[in-house]
Every structure is written in structure tokens, then in C-alpha cells.
Amino acid sequence: MPGTDDDVGRAVLVGVDGSTTSAKAVERAVREAALRGAALHIVFVAPRTDVREQGACVLDAAADRAARVDRHVRVRTTLRSGAPVAVLLEAARTAEVVVVGTRRLGTRRPRPDEAVACGSVSTRVAAAAAVPVVVVPPVEDRRRRTSDVVVGVDGSAAADAALAFALDEARVTGGRVVAVCAGAPASEGAATVRAALDRVGAVGHGGVDVHPLVVGQRPPTALRELGADAALTVVGTRGRRGPSGAVLGPVSQEVLRNAPGPVAVVHAGPR
């Protein structure tokens, strides 16, 4: 039996809504929880009182799915009423990582009114959460994925935070970090990656294999192509405030919109 929201302790948080995409998010989240030795916290947000009964069924199904993936991970469930983004952000305050599914707009460029929220809830949570958010696409490329964690590095505080998360992720998964500096001359890009590794305290990389890579492409293009076979692509975001609240930066937004696999969005420092 899953626990309830009265249980305490840090966990991997996943939002569900009964869709196929949220089922994929549960599968990803339970694996993250198992690797981190954390609990799995599954949340359904009912925007109206008449869907609370449906929410209870969705939570039961999600908990069953989690148990099929890894029965050793402790699961707790929460049914809340309210605005999905606000509820998930509040729950994220005590989470290690948040996992959400997305209904992407596809590869087309969004209209100006869509730019803030391609994927709506998932993108808004990624833009404002205080912890890393892993966004799972509705349909992943069927190619066999490597264990690589691809991360963009550009010398910014947000990119440093992304690099630190990528190293932690590779450490628990046993994967390799591909640290990508895009759009810079070779010597400058290599120096940028070395300096970033020094800043995040990755002396010896903690046993993680790190492959620095400097490419001439635009950062979103490079991360999309290099992340095509990767287990995870990680982007840092500086973010900004828009009329409707927090908004992702242009690079992270474009990567989220087009990446064929899961993408982790990481902010710099406390928010």
C-alpha cells in the first residue's frame, strides 16, 4: 500500500494526470528515486472538486505502475485541489528532484503567446521550481540510448549548476558526462569547460568519466543532436520574470521543445 502525504522525508516528486505521458514520468521518477535511495511522492492536482474521485483512481494506478517498475521504492501519494502549477511548486520545496511529463508543441517555433508555456504546466514548473526538474517527452525516440548525461557549459552560474547536477546524475547512474561548450572557438571552449569543472569542485570528477566537447553549432542545436542518444540532457537556465511569472531562458526553452529525450532544467542557486 502506498503511503499518504502525512509521510515525511525527502523524495522524488512526480505529477500525474492519468495521461500516457504522466505514466512515462512515473516510470522515470521511480528509477530516479531508486538510484537516489529516496521515496517517490506522486501528486495529482484536481483543478475542480468534481475530478477528485478520478484523481484517487489515477493515484492508485500510478502507485501500481511504480511498484511494477521497482517494488522496493517507498511510494506516497497526495491528492490536492487547486492550481496544478502552484500545488506542484509547493510540493517541490521538499523534493530532491521533480519529474513531469509534457505535451510538447513539436518542432515548430511557438507563437509569442505560447513562448512562455510550451507544455504549459511542465514548462511553468521547470521555470519556477527551486530544485531540478526532469521533463519527460510524450514520445521518446526508439533508438537505443547510452548512459551519457549531456550538459551545456557556458561559464554562467546556471550552467555551473547544471554541470554539478549532471555529475551527480552520472555518479548515481554510472554514466558518462558529456560537457558541451557550443558556439565558441576550440581553445576558448575547452578552457570554459575546465574552469567550470574547477568551480563546481569536480576535482577528479568524483570517479565520473567526463568528456569535454567543443562544437561550433548553436547551443540548442548542439544539445538536441548530442542528446539524441543520451540518457538525459541537462540545461541550466537563468530564467526571467514575465507577465505570468517565471519564464525559461531561450536556450532551455528551445531544448525542451525539441529534444527527443528527457531534459533536466536546473537553476543557479537558491530561488
Side-chain angles (χ1 to χ4, degrees):
M1 290 289 291
T4 69
D5 57 335
D6 292 328
D7 295 325
V8 295
R10 295 186 67 83
V12 172
L13 171 70
V14 59
V16 297
D17 61 7
S19 66
T20 301
T21 304
S22 78
K24 291 181 179 295
V26 169
E27 293 171 0
R28 175 80 195 199
V30 73
R31 294 187 183 102
E32 287 282 345
L35 288 167
R36 297 169 183 277
L40 177 66
H41 184 192
I42 307 174
V43 177
F44 180 95
V45 184
R48 305 184 313 275
T49 56
D50 60 338
V51 297
R52 285 185 64 87
E53 184 175 345
Q54 173 194 346
C57 294
V58 169
L59 285 172
D60 286 344
D64 287 345
R65 179 176 291 272
R68 290 196 298 272
V69 175
D70 191 330
R71 62 185 178 83
H72 299 293
V73 171
R74 185 167 63 92
V75 176
R76 56 192 176 106
T77 60
T78 295
L79 175 59
R80 288 276 190 264
S81 296
V85 173
V87 173
L88 289 173
L89 288 175
E90 178 61 29
R93 293 170 65 88
T94 56
E96 291 188 20
V97 177
V98 176
V99 182
V100 287
T102 183
R103 298 180 180 90
R104 286 181 180 159
L105 294 173
T107 56
R108 67 177 174 84
R109 292 185 66 82
R111 299 189 307 269
D113 61 311
E114 295 174 323
V116 171
C118 70
S120 189
V121 170
S122 59
T123 305
R124 290 163 64 192
V125 169
V131 297
V133 177
V134 178
V135 180
V136 179
V139 179
E140 289 192 46
D141 194 306
R142 291 182 179 275
R143 76 186 77 192
R144 181 178 178 84
R145 294 195 175 278
T146 69
S147 59
D148 286 352
V149 179
V150 173
V151 57
V153 177
D154 63 9
S156 67
D160 285 356
L163 177 60
F165 177 79
L167 287 163
D168 286 343
E169 185 76 10
R171 194 170 292 115
V172 297
T173 62
R176 177 183 70 159
V177 169
V178 180
V180 183
C181 184
S187 59
E188 180 183 328
T192 296
V193 174
R194 286 195 301 271
L197 288 167
D198 288 343
R199 283 194 300 274
V200 301
V203 178
H205 311 148
V208 175
D209 181 15
V210 177
H211 176 60
L213 186 62
V214 181
V215 296
Q217 297 161 296
R218 296 174 57 247
T221 303
L223 291 172
R224 183 186 72 243
E225 294 183 358
L226 292 167
D229 297 320
L232 183 67
T233 300
V234 185
V235 292
T237 183
R238 299 171 180 84
R240 55 190 173 87
R241 301 297 298 181
S244 302
V247 181
L248 290 173
V251 172
S252 52
Q253 192 175 134
E254 187 172 339
V255 172
L256 269 184
R257 192 168 63 243
N258 297 325
V263 176
V265 178
V266 183
H267 293 270
R271 291 175 59 74

